Amino acid sequence: MKLILKLFLLAVLGLGGVVVVRAILLVPEEVALPMPVQVEVPPGAVERFAGSVRFPTISHGDPALFDPAPFEAFEAYVREVFPLVHGTLEVETVGGHSLLYTWAGTDSSLSPVILLAHSDVVPVEPGTEGEWTNPPFSGLVEDGYVWGRGAMDDKASLMGILEAAESLIARGFEPQRTVLFSFGHDEEIGGLDGARSVAALLEERGVVAAYAVDEGMAIVEDALPGVQGPVALLGLAEKGYISVLLSVEVEGGHSSTPPPETAVGILARALTRLEDHPMDARLEGPSRMLMETMAPHMPFSLRLVMANLWLFEGAVIRIMTDTPETDASVRTTTAPTLFRAGVKDNILPTQAQAVVNFRILPGDRSQDVLSHVEETVDDPRVHMEVYQGTSTEPSPVSRMESFGYRELRATVQEVFPGTGVAPFLTLGGTDSKHFVRVAEDVYRFAPLRYRPELAGGVHGTDERIPVEDYLDMVRFYTRLLERSGD
């Protein structure tokens, strides 16, 4: 017995030694950082950007509500304020109101790059207009901000790209690589007419870009445990999307003589089972890559854990599933969003319907979600089908060891000195999902500083962007385009 105890203690000590040594050896890699680069922004850039916000280029869920006039006026506006771009680049209208710009490079043997943004915005929720500090489409420059719907999502990217290109052309710059700008007009409703049509056109032409970059992630500060200072998160992939319609049909009747289970009760129990039994959490792909990239910069106590995920992975996953934001990065999420039943309080409904939205983790597929729903609900009275018949699979995971990642990382470090760079999983959807067939790697990053006090304005009230943040976006895109000439 003593021998067994001694062997056990030796094993524990040995394991502890391995854990400690792995943490000690996990130190930041010594790399030569690029020198900061000063980039001048042309006068009037902020006013031109503010002007773009004044066009109510709204995407509605109901196609009947679509108004083309603001999109046509917006296109005329960018042609007016960026005359050199429109006199130098080839410009095509695709899918109705999306714009594809081609800036021909001097070396046709090099793969092109694609910069994406979108001109459409979400509607302002009816009844909330009076809650805005400034009118939603005022485009006011006030108190250090540009105010209005679309200021952050996503006209800052679109106008920043064009502003950068205009200033470079004025200086006589020519890119070595061909550069494509794809500006969708319906990203907020899936990009099916805009970005998808542009990507299909490029695929038909045989385009395979070195990389594409779109909105998705930003620069965060003090958002990662134990990591001080700003970190630019580059989205290597985005989650898929599927909504499942669950329905129950039973005999109706008077509420005074109800059966043991009503249509509402049957469906409510099905939803409860789905919420109580979500799909399994996994620490893999971009979420694991984030941990591994930032681990050397963490305090020793956290490095002990991150350097030994083979031992502590289960504990890390349990911690991450405690909050909605981190839980979403390690599993396919389950969110009941719609419930319809009944016409009167004393009538038993003959039908109840609910919609459950799933955001699919890379590694899972739509069919995995459907199988999970069927097995978890396990009730033949509950009918299941894909809501509106559409779904999107998770995107492939782009590489960290690639030309595109290196270019983006270097540009961040040149324009935002002292900012770290790390991979991440984009939880929402972007137009970039349509471009995975025409680019070797697709990254999701807009050079915005994430500020908690502004987050509620994206798709909410008082959307705005600090003036200095927009100017930094112009600097970022200017330098990124300059690198295409290296």
Side-chain angles (χ1 to χ4, degrees):
M1 189 66 182
K2 289 183 179 180
L3 178 60
I4 294 175
L5 183 58
K6 287 181 179 179
L7 291 174
F8 175 74
L9 290 174
L10 285 172
V12 171
L13 289 172
L15 180 62
V18 170
V19 169
V20 171
V21 169
R22 287 174 63 91
I24 292 173
L25 294 177
L26 191 64
V27 294
E29 181 183 358
E30 292 187 8
V31 294
L33 296 177
M35 294 294 295
V37 175
Q38 297 297 320
V39 180
E40 295 296 325
V41 179
V46 173
E47 291 71 22
R48 286 187 286 274
F49 167 51
S52 74
V53 179
R54 298 179 188 128
F55 296 92
T57 49
I58 299 172
S59 278
H60 296 275
D62 182 357
L65 298 176
F66 178 75
D67 182 4
F71 290 89
E72 294 166 357
F74 174 76
E75 181 177 350
Y77 175 76
V78 296
R79 287 181 179 274
E80 175 188 349
V81 298
F82 298 119
L84 298 179
V85 168
H86 291 86
T88 304
L89 280 62
E90 179 186 355
V91 186
E92 302 171 82
T93 301
V94 182
H97 301 279
S98 291
L99 299 173
L100 173 62
Y101 292 74
T102 302
W103 194 354
T106 58
D107 187 346
S108 60
S109 68
L110 297 175
S111 300
V113 297
I114 306 175
L115 307 186
L116 291 91
H118 63 89
S119 61
D120 63 318
V121 302
V122 298
V124 175
E125 184 178 353
T128 67
E129 294 87 350
E131 299 174 13
W132 286 66
T133 301
N134 293 300
F137 293 99
S138 63
L140 280 178
V141 183
E142 188 174 270
D143 299 327
Y145 296 95
V146 176
W147 297 77
R149 172 64 83 230
M152 290 184 73
D153 186 15
D154 179 39
K155 285 180 177 173
S157 293
L158 188 155
M159 295 295 288
I161 291 168
L162 290 176
E163 191 73 54
E166 184 81 3
S167 65
L168 288 171
I169 295 170
R171 285 191 261 142
F173 172 83
E174 291 182 293
Q176 190 174 8
R177 294 174 179 273
T178 293
V179 181
L180 304 170
F181 304 153
S182 175
F183 300 148
H185 74 281
D186 60 347
E187 188 274 346
E188 298 293 359
I189 52 175
L192 300 182
D193 290 330
R196 187 170 68 171
S197 297
V198 172
L201 177 62
L202 295 179
E203 186 176 26
E204 181 181 312
R205 293 174 178 174
V207 171
V208 180
Y211 70 92
V213 61
D214 195 7
E215 61 171 343
M217 302 310 301
I219 300 172
V220 301
E221 184 136 10
D222 300 330
L224 302 175
V227 178
Q228 296 182 339
V231 178
L233 299 176
L234 305 188
L236 302 191
E238 66 183 60
K239 299 181 81 173
Y241 185 105
I242 186 172
S243 288
V244 180
L245 174 65
L246 302 178
S247 57
V248 176
E249 293 188 16
V250 297
E251 291 186 5
H254 199 280
S255 64
S256 62
T257 56
E261 293 181 292
T262 66
V264 171
I266 294 169
L267 188 54
R269 273 183 279 278
L271 295 176
T272 299
R273 285 195 287 272
L274 287 171
E275 287 191 318
D276 288 346
H277 300 91
M279 295 183 71
D280 292 338
R282 307 187 308 275
L283 185 58
E284 59 184 38
S287 297
R288 191 183 192 96
M289 295 159 78
L290 169 68
M291 300 286 188
E292 294 170 344
T293 300
M294 298 312 299
H297 305 275
M298 294 179 176
F300 188 74
S301 58
L302 288 174
R303 267 192 287 149
L304 278 172
V305 175
M306 296 306 168
N308 296 281
L309 286 174
W310 57 275
L311 181 61
F312 297 114
E313 180 175 343
V316 171
I317 289 175
R318 283 192 293 274
I319 293 170
M320 294 184 73
T321 56
D322 281 344
T323 60
E325 293 78 12
T326 51
D327 181 61
S329 68
V330 294
R331 77 161 87 242
T332 294
T333 52
T334 304
T337 53
L338 297 174
F339 198 110
R340 307 185 189 95
V343 294
K344 198 171 183 294
D345 65 329
N346 65 347
I347 298 176
L348 297 174
T350 60
Q351 186 178 79
Q353 292 185 329
V355 175
V356 186
N357 178 243
F358 296 86
R359 300 300 177 102
I360 311 170
L361 189 72
D364 291 336
R365 309 292 293 176
S366 297
Q367 187 55 53
D368 298 325
V369 174
L370 297 175
S371 297
H372 166 76
V373 172
E374 185 175 10
E375 293 169 6
T376 304
V377 170
D378 193 25
D379 189 335
R381 297 171 298 180
V382 180
H383 176 71
M384 175 187 78
E385 62 183 85
V386 178
Y387 182 61
Q388 296 182 339
T390 60
S391 63
T392 302
E393 300 298 339
S395 74
V397 177
S398 295
R399 300 168 296 167
M400 290 180 63
E401 306 80 13
S402 69
F403 168 73
Y405 192 91
R406 291 194 302 272
E407 290 290 281
L408 291 168
R409 179 176 58 196
T411 305
V412 166
Q413 293 166 339
E414 289 173 341
V415 179
F416 303 95
T419 298
V421 179
F424 204 72
L425 172 65
T426 302
L427 305 181
T430 70
D431 269 346
S432 67
K433 61 180 171 285
H434 300 296
F435 284 76
V436 296
R437 300 190 310 275
V438 294
E440 294 181 23
D441 294 283
V442 177
Y443 301 100
R444 298 147 187 91
F445 172 73
L448 279 167
R449 293 179 181 87
Y450 174 79
R451 304 174 190 268
E453 67 272 17
L454 301 182
V458 178
H459 290 200
T461 298
D462 269 353
E463 184 174 351
R464 63 197 187 278
I465 181 174
V467 167
E468 191 56 37
D469 283 14
Y470 174 68
L471 295 177
D472 278 342
M473 293 185 76
V474 177
R475 295 180 182 112
F476 175 88
Y477 289 120
T478 301
R479 186 60 194 136
L480 187 63
L481 289 170
E482 283 180 327
R483 295 182 68 85
S484 70
D486 294 343

